Amino acid sequence: MRNEHPDRWASRWPYLALAGVGLAAIPLAAAARRRRREVDPDSAPGYTARRDFGDYRVVGRSVTIARPRAELFAFWRDFQNLPRFMVNLEKIEPSGEEPGHNTWHIRAPGGRVFAVDTRIAREVDGELIAWRSTEDSEIDTEGRVTFEDAPGERGTRVSLIIAYKPKGGAIGEAIATLAQRSPELQARHDLKRFKMLMETGEIATSARTRSERQHQLEEAR
Amino acid sequence: MRALTWQGTKKVSVETVADPEIVNPRDAIIRVTSTAICGSDLHLYDGVIPSMQPGDILGHEFMGEVVETGSDSSLEKGQRVVVPFTISCGGCFHCRITQYSACENSNPPEKQDMSEKLYGHPMAGIFGYSHMTGGYAGGQAEYVRVPFSDVGPIVVPDHLDDEKVLFLSDILPTGWMAAENADIGPDDTVAVWGCGPVGLFAVQSALLMGAAKVIAIDHYPHRLELARQLGAETINFRTSDVREALMEMSGGIGVDAVIDAVGMEAHGFAVDNMLDIAKQTVGIGADRASALKQAILAVRPGGRVSVPGVYGGMTDKFPLGALMEKGLQLRTGQTHVQRYMKDLLGRIEEGEIDTTFLISHRLPLEQAAEGYRQFRDAQDSWTKVVLKPGG
Ligand SMILES: NC(=O)c1ccc[n+]([C@@H]2O[C@H](COP(=O)([O-])OP(=O)(O)OC[C@H]3O[C@@H](n4cnc5c(N)ncnc54)[C@H](O)[C@@H]3O)[C@@H](O)[C@H]2O)c1
Ligand SMILES: [Zn+2]
Ligand SMILES: [Zn+2]
């Protein structure tokens, strides 16, 4: 985030609904930028900095996937694919006529399903997709995924960064974590599932039967 | 089906459980014909590896017949296969550089958090070895679901009996990798702590790799005798001062390489070990590393330290100064089984390696609990137990 322009932050994101995210009052990027001047610059990604982002939480995670960048980008950009590795995402549908405008149906604890409107805020073919929730949304969050060539033959580095404001502050977060529903964990697990799907064609499970597998999936939600 | 399940510390029992099914496309189902109890299983039995749950099916050394295949499996029904204990996808960074036991894709995401916290990186999936390594059901059962069946299992020819090839699943490659990690040259003297299955195969491998002398250390007379039969010299740590004996036997130089094939539950009454036993018993998590500590002090400056023995947590009073000041090299890890299976199968076929000398007992699966008890408490004579499901 350290080197990000504010409007690269965008969209509405499944993890937020799960943690119970309140409406953002201050654009995160501005807060991040203000703080940026206070620290010595280094090469570490902004989200790994030892500091807080005010009311906001920033979740960031990278994985290296041994597949070509274009293939990974295309798979992610076809949003219909996302529910295959994001366990809390029921489905994504185009919303209205405008391209890049979508409704995400996100499963929340207690069997509730949120319908959340998003817009693609920025897109660079083969490199970056950024999204943002729309103005009239009850949940305010921004996120982006980037795809970079990894060194040598290692494939592609995929980084996912999400900013959100947890509802109920630290306690809400703690409860969400206990229930395995912290956005941090969800994002990390989803990214690992994406890697598994792309590298192996399937997502690892220790279930011994198909019904046990189904049960585990429901528990992960 | 029937399967050996973990029920709590020192409590295992054979129960009736649901048969496994094909869950993912690359899966296969194996009907187990032979399966063994491993020293690693004893760590689970003794409750010193965290994240076990009552009902977990144990067993990571197994082989059998393919009875069902997923749409993307490369196996065919009826084939006889030996299955590596490490579950590996074949496609991730680590698998591609043949570091199979560090596979990034075989431990389900929701099971990775614990080892990631504990070790900085998640562990790969392992059959029957706690929920930290995926919570996969093991092979001490009539049937097993084998994920990534196109990468791990090796097809074995019908003319080789189960007992000749079963140990390709773990301990034979583990002994081999332990010796490889000791970087053995022709004039080298190598000392091996522990004459259990892993230690004995490390002795055998070190000699095959051309070591001038191999010295095996244990306190069980029969196990030491097996090491001598393989061509090793031996030291009984109950009756001799190990470090002094090793110095003398290596002409005052110190041994060139050491192999710790004991792991986290070392025996013995050295002060540090007694303290560690006390801590492990009350559950404050210290690994008993007395064999490893002794090995580090005994190896010559510039020597190599190879650690196939399993450790799970932290240890106290680790001789870090000796490691650094003597300029030692340390190599360890769960075995990259898939890397070695083919070569070792070839050596078995050619008669260069025999593994059957190790087997002391064959039991029907129904008597597995007895097998565990004896393998733990009567180690001298119970050197390796092979279980036969359906028998
Ligand atoms: N790295 C791997 O992939 C891998 C695979 C299999 C087993 N292992 C590990 O290897 C170790 C040995 O396995 P095993 O099946 O041979 O077990 P085992 O329990 O049969 O043998 C251990 C032997 O060590 C001896 N011993 C105990 N304390 C000693 C000491 N202080 N000095 C010398 N000898 C001592 C015991 O008497 C016993 O004979 C275990 O820790 C096991 O978990 C590792
Ligand atoms: Zn084993
Ligand atoms: Zn892998």
Side-chain angles (χ1 to χ4, degrees):
Chain A
M1 275 208 351
R2 192 161 292 163
N3 300 314
E4 284 306 311
H5 188 266
D7 70 14
R8 291 200 190 173
W9 282 95
S11 185
R12 192 159 273 156
W13 191 243
Y15 312 109
L16 310 178
L18 300 162
V21 176
L23 205 91
I26 313 157
L28 169 87
R33 218 159 21 119
R34 202 166 52 240
R35 279 155 213 271
R36 190 175 73 214
R37 300 198 184 99
E38 293 161 18
V39 293
D40 294 328
D42 64 14
S43 309
Y47 54 82
T48 63
R50 293 179 187 280
R51 61 175 173 185
D52 65 58
F53 296 87
D55 287 344
Y56 292 87
R57 290 289 305 261
V58 175
V59 174
R61 189 81 177 187
S62 299
V63 289
T64 297
I65 303 181
R67 302 296 310 164
R69 187 157 54 86
E71 177 188 326
L72 299 181
F73 181 90
F75 188 89
W76 192 297
R77 182 61 186 81
D78 180 358
F79 289 157
Q80 303 308 320
N81 284 327
L82 300 187
R84 292 175 63 185
F85 61 90
M86 294 182 177
V87 290
N88 296 101
L89 186 58
E90 194 173 82
K91 59 179 173 180
I92 296 189
E93 294 172 325
S95 155
E97 301 297 292
E98 188 194 334
H101 193 176
N102 291 287
T103 305
W104 302 53
H105 297 268
I106 298 153
R107 291 189 198 89
R112 234 187 113 191
V113 177
F114 287 85
V116 187
D117 245 25
T118 65
R119 227 172 242 134
I120 291 183
R122 187 153 176 260
E123 182 176 344
V124 181
D125 190 40
E127 288 176 22
L128 176 150
I129 308 166
W131 55 90
R132 182 198 333 255
S133 51
T134 52
E135 298 70 30
D136 50 333
S137 159
E138 51 171 332
I139 295 167
D140 190 354
T141 166
E142 312 171 77
R144 64 163 195 167
V145 58
T146 55
F147 303 83
E148 284 170 71
D149 290 331
E153 302 289 298
R154 293 189 181 197
T156 307
R157 172 179 155 169
V158 181
S159 303
L160 175 65
I161 311 174
I162 301 149
Y164 68 97
K165 186 177 174 186
K167 193 187 239 165
I171 294 171
E173 179 89 0
I175 292 167
T177 308
L178 272 183
Q180 270 259 316
R181 283 178 173 124
S182 99
E184 174 97 39
L185 269 186
Q186 290 288 354
R188 187 159 32 137
H189 291 173
D190 283 355
L191 212 48
K192 284 177 176 173
R193 285 186 194 97
F194 177 56
K195 176 180 162 70
M196 286 178 177
L197 196 57
M198 301 315 290
E199 284 184 345
T200 76
E202 58 188 49
I203 292 168
T205 173
S206 54
R208 282 194 314 121
T209 61
R210 290 181 287 272
S211 67
E212 191 185 328
R213 170 75 179 140
Q214 198 51 40
H215 179 75
Q216 281 182 357
L217 272 178
E218 275 152 26
E219 282 217 318
R221 278 169 194 151
Chain B
M1 67 163 184
R2 302 286 284 166
L4 187 276
T5 61
W6 187 91
Q7 298 294 344
T9 300
K10 298 198 182 69
K11 261 172 57 193
V12 293
S13 59
V14 176
E15 305 289 342
T16 299
V17 300
D19 285 358
E21 301 169 347
I22 299 286
V23 179
N24 270 338
R26 291 168 67 180
D27 291 354
I29 305 290
I30 310 293
R31 182 179 65 79
V32 178
T33 52
S34 296
T35 173
I37 306 176
C38 177
S40 298
D41 291 327
L42 293 182
H43 300 322
L44 304 174
Y45 187 66
D46 289 338
V48 296
I49 298 271
S51 78
M52 288 298 294
Q53 292 170 13
D56 286 349
I57 299 172
L58 300 186
H60 58 266
E61 301 183 356
F62 60 94
M63 64 176 296
E65 183 197 338
V66 179
V67 291
E68 225 186 308
T69 53
S71 54
D72 292 343
S73 171
S74 60
L75 296 177
E76 286 161 27
K77 279 184 208 173
Q79 282 177 325
R80 273 177 83 223
V81 292
V82 180
V83 180
F85 77 93
T86 42
I87 304 173
S88 312
C89 78
C92 71
F93 168 72
H94 286 101
C95 284
R96 284 162 166 232
I97 58 169
T98 75
Q99 292 180 351
Y100 293 101
S101 73
C103 175
E104 299 153 58
N105 291 325
S106 59
N107 195 347
E110 62 278 9
K111 305 271 189 184
Q112 292 186 12
D113 298 325
M114 183 173 183
S115 55
E116 195 165 343
K117 265 224 162 71
L118 209 53
Y119 305 142
H121 288 79
M123 288 185 75
I126 295 180
F127 288 103
Y129 214 72
S130 88
H131 288 261
M132 218 160 73
T133 60
Y136 286 95
Q140 289 162 6
E142 290 182 279
Y143 297 92
V144 201
R145 171 187 163 238
V146 176
F148 303 126
S149 64
D150 53 326
V151 175
I154 186 168
V155 178
V156 291
D158 285 339
H159 69 269
L160 293 175
D161 287 349
D162 277 19
E163 292 185 357
K164 287 205 157 140
V165 292
L166 171 61
F167 301 143
L168 284 168
S169 57
D170 176 356
I171 48 174
L172 182 61
T174 295
W176 188 266
M177 186 168 109
E180 205 177 73
N181 279 345
D183 238 337
I184 295 164
D187 301 329
D188 282 349
T189 298
V190 181
V192 179
W193 273 254
C195 296
V198 171
L200 289 170
F201 282 146
V203 166
Q204 191 183 40
S205 303
L207 287 167
L208 275 171
M209 289 177 193
K213 191 192 282 194
V214 176
I215 304 168
I217 304 152
D218 205 305
H219 60 139
Y220 290 128
H222 174 63
R223 289 186 168 205
L224 287 167
E225 176 54 32
L226 288 176
R228 275 192 295 274
Q229 283 169 15
L230 290 170
E233 299 180 8
T234 57
I235 299 172
N236 184 326
F237 71 79
R238 298 262 170 193
T239 53
S240 302
D241 181 310
V242 174
R243 205 184 77 83
E244 206 183 312
L246 285 174
M247 283 303 285
E248 293 309 309
M249 291 162 85
S250 61
I253 296 177
V255 289
D256 301 282
V258 290
I259 298 175
D260 167 8
V262 175
M264 64 198 283
E265 295 185 82
H267 308 165
F269 297 102
V271 178
D272 64 331
N273 200 41
M274 293 311 285
L275 263 176
D276 287 344
I277 289 175
K279 287 179 195 155
Q280 211 169 46
T281 311
V282 300
I284 50 177
D287 285 348
R288 276 147 57 190
S290 84
L292 179 56
K293 292 172 190 172
Q294 199 171 58
I296 287 173
L297 293 184
V299 69
R300 73 164 169 83
R304 287 90 56 189
V305 181
S306 164
V307 187
V310 163
Y311 294 90
M314 317 276 175
T315 188
D316 292 341
K317 310 237 165 26
F318 188 75
L320 191 54
L323 188 70
M324 189 277 161
E325 299 293 356
K326 294 207 286 183
L328 305 181
Q329 297 178 45
L330 178 65
R331 287 203 214 154
T332 180
Q334 297 285 354
T335 305
H336 306 303
V337 180
Q338 289 87 340
R339 188 198 284 170
Y340 302 101
M341 283 180 118
K342 198 163 165 241
D343 172 55
L344 290 173
L345 176 61
R347 289 173 192 267
I348 291 169
E349 271 197 281
E350 278 154 32
E352 192 184 341
I353 291 180
D354 166 57
T355 64
T356 55
F357 74 92
L358 192 63
I359 304 170
S360 58
H361 293 80
R362 296 151 180 95
L363 299 178
L365 177 68
E366 291 299 323
Q367 287 173 32
E370 170 73 358
Y372 268 81
R373 204 173 56 76
Q374 298 282 10
F375 184 51
R376 181 186 183 278
D377 297 336
Q379 287 214 315
D380 189 28
S381 49
W382 288 64
T383 49
K384 191 76 181 177
V385 184
V386 174
L387 302 170
K388 294 280 185 183

